[in-house]
Amino acid sequence: MENIQNIMVCVTQQKTCERLIRRGAQIRDEYNGELFVIHVAKEGYHFLGKSKDGDALEYLFEQAKAYGANLTVVRSNDVLETLKKLTEKNNIDLIVVGESYEKEEKNVVRKLEKKLPKGVEIETVPVEQKEKVC
């Protein structure tokens, strides 16, 4: 990774977003860039799954604010196209996403990679393993 100016963190579930935002902030600080936190909800769905929208949005806002990030929440029936447009609009160099367990043909990260402009990198953050307590 070199010449990273703008980092976009894609969040989906409130319980997992903090680790993704934290990683995006680490990269931003390393390269002195700008951090964008993005959540795209399909039209007709709750913003963040089954959780209460207000609580979930407040949590996302607080997490983004804590790490000095810009938060964008949008509704769209074409999530991948919306992410592509936001990547172009914000001149994104790197996208941080959470690990996906979907098989190759349904893997959202792989589908997104195919849509992105050349030069945009994706970093996948693995699911954190709970520490064992002895």
Side-chain angles (χ1 to χ4, degrees):
M1 288 189 277
E2 54 185 72
N3 296 329
I4 299 210
Q5 296 296 312
N6 296 318
I7 300 106
M8 181 167 81
V9 178
C10 299
V11 294
T12 56
Q13 299 173 4
Q14 73 179 59
K15 291 180 182 177
T16 62
C17 74
E18 193 271 338
R19 70 187 170 87
L20 302 176
I21 298 170
R22 181 176 62 237
R23 178 61 185 140
Q26 289 169 343
I27 297 167
R28 178 214 43 216
D29 293 348
E30 186 177 332
Y31 291 95
N32 197 25
E34 191 169 351
L35 184 61
F36 298 85
V37 176
I38 309 292
H39 176 70
V40 181
K42 283 203 170 192
E43 292 187 24
Y45 286 79
H46 291 288
F47 272 106
L48 292 160
K50 296 180 181 179
S51 59
K52 295 179 181 175
D53 282 352
D55 292 343
L57 288 173
E58 184 176 336
Y59 177 82
L60 259 185
F61 175 76
E62 291 301 322
Q63 290 300 313
K65 182 178 167 187
Y67 287 97
N70 296 307
L71 174 64
T72 301
V73 180
V74 295
R75 287 192 183 276
S76 172
N77 281 324
D78 190 341
V79 173
L80 295 175
E81 185 63 27
T82 300
L83 290 174
K84 176 188 171 203
K85 287 178 181 176
L86 288 168
T87 299
E88 293 166 344
K89 175 185 173 189
N90 295 313
N91 297 312
I92 299 298
D93 302 296
L94 176 71
I95 298 174
V96 176
V97 296
E99 185 175 15
S100 174
Y101 292 112
E102 296 171 312
K103 295 198 185 310
E104 194 63 34
E105 65 273 3
K106 290 189 176 185
N107 189 299
V108 175
V109 176
R110 299 296 154 252
K111 288 181 182 180
L112 178 59
E113 281 178 327
K114 292 175 184 175
K115 280 192 163 279
L116 293 175
K118 284 193 176 206
V120 177
E121 296 181 47
I122 293 181
E123 179 174 319
T124 302
V125 178
V127 175
E128 290 181 338
Q129 301 297 318
K130 291 186 179 182
E131 292 182 16
K132 293 182 181 179
V133 178
C134 296

